[in-house]
Amino acid sequence: MIRSIYFLFLLLWHSPLTAQDQYTLSGTVSDGRSGETLIGASISVPALNIGTTTNEYGFYALELPAGDSIAVVFSYVGFQPLQRRIYLSSDSILNVELREGVELEKVVVEANSFREQLRSSEMSVETLSPREAKLIPLLLGESDILKAIQLKPGIPSGAEGSSGLFVRGGGSDQNLIILDEAIVYNANHLFGFFSTFNTDAVKDLKMYKGGFPARYGGRLSSVIDVKLKEGNNKKLSGTGGLGLIASRLTLEGPIQSGKSSFMVSGRRTYADVFTRLVNRANAGQPGFNPIPNYYFYDLNTKINFKLGEKDRLMLSGYFGRDVFGFDDDNFNFDFDWGNATGTLRWNHLFSNKLFSNTTLTFSNYQYNIQNRLTGFSFRVGSNIRDLNLKTDFYYALNNRHTLRFGAQTTAHYFEIGRLKAGSDDGTVSFSAGQNFTGLEFGAYFSDELRLSEKLEIQAGLRLSGFQNEDSWIVRPEPRLSGRFNPSERWALKISYARMNQYLHLVSNAGVALPTDIWYPSTRRILPQSSDQLALGLSYLVGEALFLNWEAYYKKLGNQIEFVDGAELFANDELEEEFAIGRGRAYGLEWSIEQKEGRLQGWIGYTLAFVRRGDFTPIVPEASFQQEGYFSPIYDRRHDLSVVALYEISDRFSANATFVYGSGDLRWLPPGRFSFQDVYGGEFKSVVPHYLERNNYRLPPYHRLDLGLVYQLKPKWGESDLTLTVVNVYDRRNTFFIYLEPEFAKVEDEDGRTFQIPERISARQVSLFPVLPALTWNFKF
Amino acid sequence: MKKYIFASVTALILVCLGCDLEKEIDIELPDYEQRVVVEAYLEPGQPLRLLLSLSAPYFEKFPIFEGQFIENTLVSDAEVSIHYNGQTFQLNNRLIFDEERRKIYNYQHPFVVPEDYDRSFELDILTKAGVRIQASTRLLPPVPIDSLVVEFREQDTLARLLTYLTDPPAQDNYYRRLLHSGSLLNQPEQDFTTSDQIVEDILLFGTGFEYAAGDTLISSIYHLDIDYYNYLRSVQNAGLANGNPFAQPSPIISNVKSDSEKAIGIFTGLSYFRKEVIVE
């Protein structure tokens, strides 16, 4: 009896090919030219209709029958497919190097990539290769992979000045942005115009909007996983560009050919060189207001070691800063902010089937504002430091089960609203601020289960938790996703994910600022939570036209807003300014993607709704006048992106991006009143009376960007001249609106004149007009 | 020469970037129902008086002629009474202009407010339209200014003013600081509110080195209760949010209660300490 149950179990557990012996073929798939491992490369065995893909570290494992000569095909977008004949008599390692497709500047036919998407049980995920990102023209000629991925549906395309990412109705703090597994708290330069990711240094960027795999946790609405290049371990090479406002250079090469490599990548803007000159030229002239100086820079470094067949060691770091300064005789203002991250990673192959990744990361985000008036100085700043240890296992048990499990723990240290002010002579000094420490942890287990050729599910459970002083909380997060292929061309997908978030970004308005504060969960402030259900349908037309539909519904719990008139400055009890409520978001996303022929690109459209409400202040006496549910300012109803890449000739290619979105919301006052004030106080004739939140929808936002690329084809490598024109038809999109009273002079009997407001006009401020730019890019 | 080329190219770029980025537009705001605005201060030594006016839709044109101003902005024929110490005072609807202070009131009673920090005052209003408004407050003792110090800088003829006061330790305190030069009728040099959260026991208000010999400086410190502090700050924040894309707008936090929120405003005691000094 027991024996028959045992055999039954084995039968169910193993694939139908149990009659023969099975061995595991595993290894890595890399780029032949540089030695970079390839993420998501496909390994397929057409004769047996089985396959797999490489994981984030380029590793794959496939169970194959022994003895027979089997054709295994390795392929990856942009590379020539490679076929090998395998005769397995034991578990074997096969590391493969692929060669790039013959024509490098074209985006090569990506039939496999669409088929992989159909067969993957992952959904709500967008990827963009650096190659594609560089073809999309962006602000001032600088290509930006994080800004470019916002052109995919479900991710509202960034309106000017908006540095926050609002994915499927989630707030701008609900995005987990990781760079080589270290968290980046503020991925913005220049208030959101550029991201902190230098496209030249990026190997892969994957963005999840839903259906989050169990290995990710800590944020509610998206996961942006950025992996840096490892570095060319075969020969010294470089990439770079010289642009109108910024320049960049990336150098990579072997330390020991084939075994170890390094990569260094840097970028800096130089608008401040010009502004400093202008200021110096005009110094001393009356009425001249010096232009503030601004610049940013970032630096990515990485070294990579192959320690034998089973081990790889990697060390990488990122350092970036934005510096904004203003210098006058009496007044001096310096504002700087930035991130620093460090990662030490060890990959180990325990066996052909079991791969592990252990990482130690460090992350720091801080900002500092320093202000000097004659005799007084003033400093305010915030600082968040993380130390994170995590380990992940990838176990290719057999062709039916791929198991992943792991754990991580992060120690957070926050300094919030650290204020120090005083006079030079020391008679006055005061300081304020709060320090927090917190421990965040998670452990997960998931199984990618291939029930049949047509049906695959990914089931997982994550247990996450947070400890802060005397409060401890542990929460389960079930994760489930599945795909069903009724035919080779169709895929039906469904996913459910429960997420928890233990850190909250406390920002004063919808426009995320570098001075926004990260606040931990405490006894009174419970973690935010979300439940998201998504359904998807995909269809492949021909070989390279892909249609995708997705619908989602998300419930958000323990959402934070500020109470009316919140005091954020120098407040030692900041959580008393919070109100806790709920939210819900739902929507539909459509996209069509074409990757064949001279004209390639995609069209994405999103219809989305998001509401927040039922807010109750932590301190009952505090005021939160908004009742019921309201729309946050990022409740953008429609969002359309069209990206087109056209190859004109061997040397010329053109690209165009068109975005259209419903206007964001703004909170405007429907009424006004006069405030006489006391004796000595100034009479205010117009005091705005704000009522319902976010009661005004801005005009629609739309913009067309065009780019022209001319390939120079030098002998030593590649180089091109890129002409970009952003906002081609000079659309003045609204950045913000203010209401301005116009005054008339009125005289009374005694001859005294008063300014009496006569009428109020509404004025709109836009951020930029048509902006052309020329960039020279090179690669050797 | 190169310097000038750089400078002019940059200037050209900046000018281009700056041109026409602002323009007037037509917008339609949501419908707005007028509210009664109460501004009632109890000042020890002064009679009972207050100002009752109406708010208006934001884009409504201002009635700049006197007659219209009174009709459209001030509330007439309301029954206004203040209860204190078992007595009820009916305020008369009469437009008064305080010449010295240049303030107007439209309801008043000759009863002089006593320096009573123990008993509460209750305000009760019933407008002609049937809106009932109620509020309650208590006077706070003023916090005295310990000293005013005039300091000259070594290399200059300009001085700054330092105002010192001792914060009463027993409770949370809120202050409004006003600084005038010349007369209280001039625009204040400084006007801000603060709480005692960040200080230990001595509060110091300073200025820059801006005042010449002969200048008269009037330093006032108002001791506010939490209602008045919240009201002033919400009025200030509401004004600041207009024109600043990074500021959080604020609804008005009033301490007057009415049905269906038909009234906003403040009913509070005025408690202040004022000291004057001539720079020399």
Side-chain angles (χ1 to χ4, degrees):
Chain A
M1 174 70 176
I2 296 174
R3 210 184 275 187
S4 22
I5 296 173
Y6 176 66
F7 277 128
L8 196 67
F9 181 67
L10 278 183
L11 210 69
L12 287 170
W13 192 249
H14 288 280
S15 68
L17 295 165
T18 353
Q20 292 174 271
D21 282 337
Q22 299 271 307
Y23 292 116
T24 307
L25 181 72
S26 61
T28 53
V29 181
S30 328
D31 177 345
R33 214 164 75 134
S34 65
E36 285 281 345
T37 53
L38 299 172
I39 300 172
S42 150
I43 301 97
S44 65
V45 184
L48 300 172
N49 225 333
I50 53 172
T52 187
T53 54
T54 52
N55 69 6
E56 312 79 82
Y57 309 99
F59 175 79
Y60 75 92
L62 197 59
E63 216 178 45
L64 297 171
D68 287 350
S69 146
I70 308 162
V72 182
V73 180
F74 298 85
S75 62
Y76 189 68
V77 58
F79 291 81
Q80 295 178 36
L82 180 71
Q83 180 175 290
R84 291 287 192 91
R85 287 216 150 256
I86 312 290
Y87 302 81
L88 278 182
S89 56
S90 61
D91 290 339
S92 306
I93 292 183
L94 179 62
N95 297 323
V96 152
E97 287 189 342
L98 297 181
R99 288 171 54 196
E100 286 192 20
V102 174
E103 278 150 319
L104 299 165
E105 54 273 17
K106 274 194 218 172
V107 177
V108 178
V109 172
E110 295 182 10
N112 268 344
S113 114
F114 286 142
R115 286 192 184 278
E116 278 311 320
Q117 261 185 282
L118 282 176
R119 295 188 62 76
S120 164
S121 57
E122 279 187 351
M123 67 180 295
S124 310
V125 61
E126 302 289 351
T127 54
L128 196 65
S129 67
R131 193 196 304 250
E132 283 175 283
K134 286 194 194 176
L135 294 170
I136 296 171
L138 285 164
L139 200 58
L140 294 174
E142 293 297 311
S143 74
D144 189 320
I145 192 165
L146 187 58
K147 289 284 169 206
I149 203 158
Q150 289 174 55
L151 294 167
K152 296 273 178 122
I155 308 158
S157 37
E160 285 108 79
S162 152
S163 60
L165 268 173
F166 305 100
V167 181
R168 292 193 172 172
S172 62
D173 66 333
Q174 295 178 2
N175 307 301
L176 179 70
I177 303 175
I178 49 182
L179 178 65
D180 274 352
E181 293 161 276
I183 293 187
V184 177
Y185 280 93
N186 183 349
N188 291 296
H189 282 308
L190 189 51
F191 307 103
F193 285 112
F194 301 100
S195 75
T196 51
F197 301 112
N198 182 348
T199 311
D200 289 341
V202 171
K203 173 163 147 173
D204 188 76
L205 186 148
K206 215 162 171 184
M207 182 171 192
Y208 293 89
K209 304 170 287 184
F212 305 102
R215 61 186 182 275
Y216 296 113
R219 299 285 188 274
L220 302 186
S221 292
S222 80
V223 173
I224 300 168
D225 193 346
V226 184
K227 295 260 185 301
L228 290 183
K229 280 194 203 165
E230 265 128 62
N232 190 333
N233 67 8
K234 306 220 166 170
K235 73 176 194 51
L236 183 69
S237 70
T239 322
L242 215 64
L244 200 65
I245 64 144
S247 286
R248 54 188 208 281
L249 180 63
T250 303
L251 284 174
E252 48 181 316
I255 301 173
Q256 223 188 328
S257 182
K259 287 193 196 283
S260 53
S261 61
F262 75 93
M263 184 204 58
V264 176
S265 183
R267 179 170 62 157
R268 194 199 194 277
T269 59
Y270 31 69
D272 61 317
V273 173
F274 296 112
T275 56
R276 263 186 247 270
L277 281 172
V278 171
N279 286 341
R280 226 182 301 151
N282 285 297
Q285 286 205 24
F288 175 73
N289 289 318
I291 307 169
N293 290 321
Y294 173 79
Y295 65 93
F296 75 77
Y297 60 88
D298 44 32
L299 187 67
N300 285 295
T301 55
K302 192 154 172 172
I303 44 178
N304 211 325
F305 299 96
K306 235 193 276 194
L307 311 165
E309 278 302 313
K310 295 189 183 255
D311 293 278
R312 277 185 104 120
L313 195 68
M314 182 275 282
L315 183 64
S316 78
Y318 165 80
F319 187 78
R321 270 285 175 283
D322 280 62
V323 179
F324 183 82
F326 182 85
D327 222 323
D328 198 59
D329 279 336
N330 295 317
F331 178 68
N332 190 293
F333 175 83
D334 283 299
F335 183 14
D336 70 275
W337 69 93
N339 298 285
T341 69
T343 307
L344 178 63
R345 179 208 289 162
W346 171 46
N347 288 145
H348 179 66
L349 208 58
F350 284 95
S351 74
N352 274 37
K353 297 186 188 220
L354 185 59
F355 172 91
S356 82
N357 176 56
T358 304
T359 324
L360 180 68
T361 70
F362 166 78
S363 189
N364 172 251
Y365 174 67
Q366 61 173 303
Y367 75 82
N368 278 307
I369 302 176
Q370 288 194 85
N371 212 331
R372 275 198 68 77
L373 291 163
T374 321
F376 275 95
S377 70
F378 167 94
R379 262 182 71 141
V380 76
S382 267
N383 196 326
I384 177 165
R385 284 202 287 279
D386 281 1
L387 197 60
N388 174 33
L389 181 63
K390 74 195 261 282
T391 184
D392 298 284
F393 292 88
Y394 177 90
Y395 186 34
L397 178 65
N398 54 46
N399 289 348
R400 278 162 71 89
H401 295 270
T402 305
L403 306 177
R404 284 178 182 260
F405 51 96
Q408 75 174 90
T409 179
T410 310
H412 297 288
Y413 176 71
F414 308 69
E415 264 177 55
I416 300 168
R418 182 188 67 225
L419 163 71
K420 229 178 146 234
S423 63
D424 291 343
D425 56 9
T427 49
V428 186
S429 87
F430 47 84
S431 61
Q434 285 177 290
N435 287 353
F436 280 107
T437 53
L439 197 67
E440 189 174 343
F441 44 88
Y444 69 93
F445 176 88
S446 76
D447 186 3
E448 208 173 286
L449 179 60
R450 269 164 229 115
L451 291 166
S452 75
E453 199 193 301
K454 295 188 187 243
L455 185 61
E456 182 178 300
I457 62 171
Q458 223 184 90
L461 180 69
R462 186 181 179 85
L463 263 177
S464 67
F466 194 77
Q467 178 263 325
N468 176 18
E469 291 175 341
D470 51 352
S471 69
W472 262 94
I473 190 154
V474 179
R475 288 184 168 186
E477 296 174 16
R479 311 282 178 87
L480 196 66
S481 67
R483 67 104 176 124
F484 176 65
N485 300 116
S487 81
E488 253 186 13
R489 296 184 169 277
W490 285 94
L492 197 62
K493 299 191 185 184
I494 186 167
S495 73
Y496 166 76
R498 152 65 68 100
M499 308 291 281
N500 285 298
Q501 182 163 334
Y502 301 98
L503 301 184
H504 319 285
L505 184 65
V506 173
S507 61
N508 210 358
V511 180
L513 282 181
T515 53
D516 296 337
I517 298 162
W518 285 93
Y519 202 84
S521 295
T522 63
R523 239 182 329 106
R524 284 194 289 190
I525 310 296
L526 292 177
Q528 297 180 53
S529 67
S530 78
D531 290 282
Q532 188 182 156
L533 183 69
L535 286 169
L537 190 63
S538 309
Y539 182 60
L540 180 64
V541 180
E543 283 303 308
L545 186 66
F546 195 72
L547 310 178
N548 198 46
W549 294 271
E550 259 190 55
Y552 66 89
Y553 181 81
K554 183 154 74 176
K555 255 179 28 181
L556 300 152
N558 279 319
Q559 299 296 287
I560 299 180
E561 286 281 344
F562 279 122
V563 297
D564 300 328
E567 184 70 84
L568 303 183
F569 180 70
N571 187 340
D572 281 345
E573 295 293 321
L574 196 58
E575 59 189 60
E576 294 187 349
E577 310 295 329
F578 297 172
I580 310 292
R582 283 194 282 252
R584 54 173 179 257
Y586 44 92
L588 290 166
E589 295 165 10
W590 281 273
S591 72
I592 299 176
E593 211 171 331
Q594 149 89 335
K595 285 192 176 170
E596 191 177 39
R598 282 178 175 265
L599 178 65
Q600 303 186 14
W602 70 81
I603 301 174
Y605 169 70
T606 309
L607 174 66
F609 298 82
V610 52
R611 304 277 284 167
R612 288 163 75 82
D614 280 352
F615 283 90
T616 313
I618 297 251
V619 172
E621 298 80 49
S623 163
F624 195 93
Q625 290 180 18
Q626 175 78 44
E627 285 174 357
Y629 276 77
F630 61 95
S631 290
I633 72 169
Y634 49 84
D635 179 22
R636 196 177 298 173
R637 192 67 64 243
H638 307 279
D639 195 82
L640 174 74
S641 309
V642 180
V643 175
L645 313 166
Y646 185 71
E647 199 200 310
I648 303 171
S649 74
D650 203 24
R651 282 190 183 252
F652 278 100
S653 64
N655 42 57
T657 308
F658 176 70
V659 295
Y660 179 97
S662 307
D664 286 349
L665 296 168
R666 289 289 185 266
W667 193 359
L668 292 182
R672 58 166 169 78
F673 64 98
S674 299
F675 179 53
Q676 180 171 240
D677 211 345
V678 296
Y679 181 34
E682 209 186 342
F683 172 66
K684 290 186 181 62
S685 52
V686 179
V687 178
H689 189 200
Y690 288 93
L691 291 171
E692 293 290 313
R693 287 184 180 224
N694 308 327
N695 53 354
Y696 182 76
R697 193 172 282 284
L698 293 175
Y701 175 95
H702 51 93
R703 202 181 83 210
L704 174 67
D705 303 333
L706 294 176
L708 191 63
V709 183
Y710 174 63
Q711 295 289 340
L712 294 164
K713 299 200 188 242
K715 289 208 175 62
W716 43 264
E718 293 163 44
S719 128
D720 69 70
L721 269 174
T722 304
L723 172 69
T724 329
V725 183
V726 162
N727 197 8
V728 166
Y729 54 86
D730 199 17
R731 162 85 177 164
R732 299 304 163 98
N733 287 304
T734 315
F735 174 47
F736 79 97
I737 288 178
Y738 68 99
L739 306 170
E740 186 169 55
E742 287 164 22
F743 292 90
K745 274 208 176 75
V746 167
E747 216 178 84
D748 70 357
E749 328 62 79
D750 301 322
R752 267 189 281 245
T753 53
F754 296 96
Q755 298 268 54
I756 301 285
E758 200 177 21
R759 65 180 278 265
I760 301 198
S761 64
R763 298 192 72 80
Q764 155 189 301
V765 178
S766 308
L767 273 186
F768 55 81
V770 50
L771 284 177
L774 192 63
T775 318
W776 174 59
N777 300 300
F778 60 87
K779 188 171 170 182
F780 62 89
Chain B
M1 187 56 193
K2 249 194 207 172
K3 203 177 10 180
Y4 288 106
I5 295 176
F6 268 137
S8 36
V9 167
T10 319
L12 189 68
I13 295 171
L14 291 172
V15 161
C16 275
L17 291 181
C19 56
D20 253 359
L21 286 179
E22 202 184 296
K23 63 177 188 192
E24 186 172 335
I25 53 167
D26 275 319
I27 65 173
E28 252 197 62
L29 290 172
D31 285 336
Y32 178 77
E33 203 190 307
Q34 283 186 305
R35 263 68 168 182
V36 175
V37 183
V38 178
E39 221 183 311
Y41 306 110
L42 297 169
E43 198 178 330
Q46 298 288 330
L48 295 172
R49 56 199 177 174
L50 54 82
L51 182 65
L52 214 58
S53 61
L54 287 172
S55 65
Y58 209 92
F59 285 121
E60 197 174 84
K61 270 184 134 41
F62 288 82
I64 57 172
F65 300 105
E66 242 183 69
Q68 277 187 310
F69 178 73
I70 291 165
E71 265 170 45
N72 296 349
T73 321
L74 298 183
V75 175
S76 307
D77 299 329
E79 286 166 31
V80 178
S81 53
I82 292 180
H83 311 283
Y84 161 72
N85 196 16
Q87 293 176 283
T88 301
F89 303 98
Q90 291 287 137
L91 279 72
N92 301 313
N93 180 201
R94 213 155 54 93
L95 191 63
I96 303 165
F97 183 58
D98 183 332
E99 285 274 357
E100 191 203 328
R101 297 178 173 201
R102 300 199 69 82
K103 297 288 177 193
I104 63 169
Y105 307 96
N106 55 352
Y107 291 85
Q108 66 115 2
H109 189 284
F111 176 75
V112 172
V113 179
E115 256 186 71
D116 182 350
Y117 306 120
D118 298 315
R119 292 190 191 81
S120 67
F121 292 76
E122 256 102 73
L123 175 68
D124 204 326
I125 301 172
L126 181 64
T127 70
K128 207 161 64 168
V131 177
R132 175 159 231 117
I133 305 162
Q134 289 170 316
S136 168
T137 192
R138 212 176 270 260
L139 295 179
L140 276 179
V143 175
I145 294 174
D146 293 337
S147 57
L148 286 181
V149 175
V150 173
E151 253 180 34
F152 277 93
R153 203 163 33 179
E154 272 169 21
Q155 63 268 40
D156 219 325
T157 52
L158 295 176
R160 69 175 175 190
L161 180 70
L162 302 172
T163 307
Y164 289 88
L165 57 108
T166 309
D167 179 48
Q171 71 274 10
D172 289 334
N173 293 300
Y174 307 95
Y175 300 99
R176 180 185 187 180
R177 192 267 192 291
L178 278 166
L179 178 71
H180 292 83
S181 175
S183 141
L184 287 171
L185 293 174
N186 296 338
Q187 205 181 26
E189 302 276 307
Q190 284 183 358
D191 182 3
F192 57 85
T193 53
T194 183
S195 75
D196 64 352
Q197 228 197 22
I198 52 170
V199 286
E200 289 285 334
D201 49 12
I202 305 281
L203 273 158
L204 169 63
F205 297 100
T207 69
F209 289 95
E210 289 156 13
Y211 306 103
D215 284 346
T216 305
L217 295 174
I218 309 163
S219 184
S220 319
I221 304 288
Y222 283 75
H223 189 199
L224 315 170
D225 62 16
I226 181 115
D227 287 343
Y228 193 18
Y229 175 67
N230 284 335
Y231 182 75
L232 281 178
R233 265 183 347 108
S234 63
V235 166
Q236 190 177 47
N237 288 337
L240 285 177
N242 184 25
N244 181 354
F246 306 114
Q248 174 92 332
S250 176
I252 303 298
I253 304 175
S254 317
N255 77 336
V256 301
K257 311 256 177 299
S258 62
D259 315 317
S260 334
E261 277 137 39
K262 290 220 163 72
I264 58 174
I266 186 71
F267 175 52
T268 186
L270 281 190
S271 156
Y272 61 92
F273 200 93
R274 187 165 284 150
K275 231 176 175 171
E276 206 176 286
V277 72
I278 300 176
V279 176
E280 55 191 353

